[in-house]
Amino acid sequence: MYANRGMYTEEIINRTIDYLQSVDCIIEKRNIPIKIVKNISASLIMGKLLSKSTVDYCGFVNHKHIEFEAKQTNQTNFSVEMIKPHQYAYLLKAEKVGSIAFVIVHFSIHDEFYLLPINWIETYRQTHQKKTIKYEDIKKECSLLSIIYPGILNLMEKI
């Protein structure tokens, strides 16, 4: 059904963000820090990564700062290793200084989106001594983000 699964997840989140802009939220998708090295054609460039990026999205919802990463899996579990170490550390630090930090995971085989707070992920890792989180545990303990309009997640209700 989806040609590029990561793009489907990003499209749903971007639509959600566009919708939320109309209800007094500010959420931005961060750009990857690149330097254009060469223009190959009108629609193709060559670039150089200037530095590691942090996480995909940041902003303010209900006067609260948020930072989050979006991931998609076609497995029946979620590997924390899908989050790059510098992104994981960034989310933990953001939570420590007062931000709401989380990961949105799309399980494509179930076509379900879940909000996993970073502190819940860290506690799970420490408690279970595993880098993979079972779908059943996520379903039981984390927030399901349902689609409330075509392509819009109920993100506001879960933050």
Side-chain angles (χ1 to χ4, degrees), residues 134-147:
K134 294 179 183 177
Y135 167 77
E136 293 79 18
D137 291 338
I138 292 171
K139 187 173 182 173
K140 183 171 43 172
E141 298 183 32
C142 295
S143 296
L144 174 67
L145 296 173
S146 57
I147 295 180

Side-chain angles (χ1 to χ4, degrees), residues 6-17:
M7 292 306 293
Y8 172 76
T9 299
E10 186 174 310
E11 178 64 27
I12 293 293
I13 292 172
N14 290 342
R15 282 185 189 179
T16 300
I17 288 168

Side-chain angles (χ1 to χ4, degrees), residues 49-93:
L49 189 62
L50 295 174
S51 64
K52 293 179 182 178
S53 62
T54 53
V55 292
D56 290 337
Y57 300 91
C58 66
F60 289 89
V61 175
N62 295 329
H63 306 285
K64 298 173 187 145
H65 185 256
I66 63 169
E67 296 277 348
F68 68 98
E69 180 69 16
K71 297 295 180 189
Q72 181 162 331
T73 180
N74 58 3
Q75 304 297 312
T76 56
N77 52 39
F78 174 66
S79 173
V80 178
E81 291 179 330
M82 288 180 70
I83 306 168
K84 294 176 183 153
H86 70 278
Q87 293 174 322
Y88 192 85
Y90 181 87
L91 288 169
L92 288 173
K93 185 175 182 180

Side-chain angles (χ1 to χ4, degrees), residues 122-136:
E122 181 64 10
T123 301
Y124 188 96
R125 285 182 63 195
Q126 291 177 2
T127 303
H128 295 85
Q129 295 295 307
K130 293 182 179 180
K131 293 182 180 180
T132 300
I133 304 172
K134 294 179 183 177
Y135 167 77
E136 293 79 18

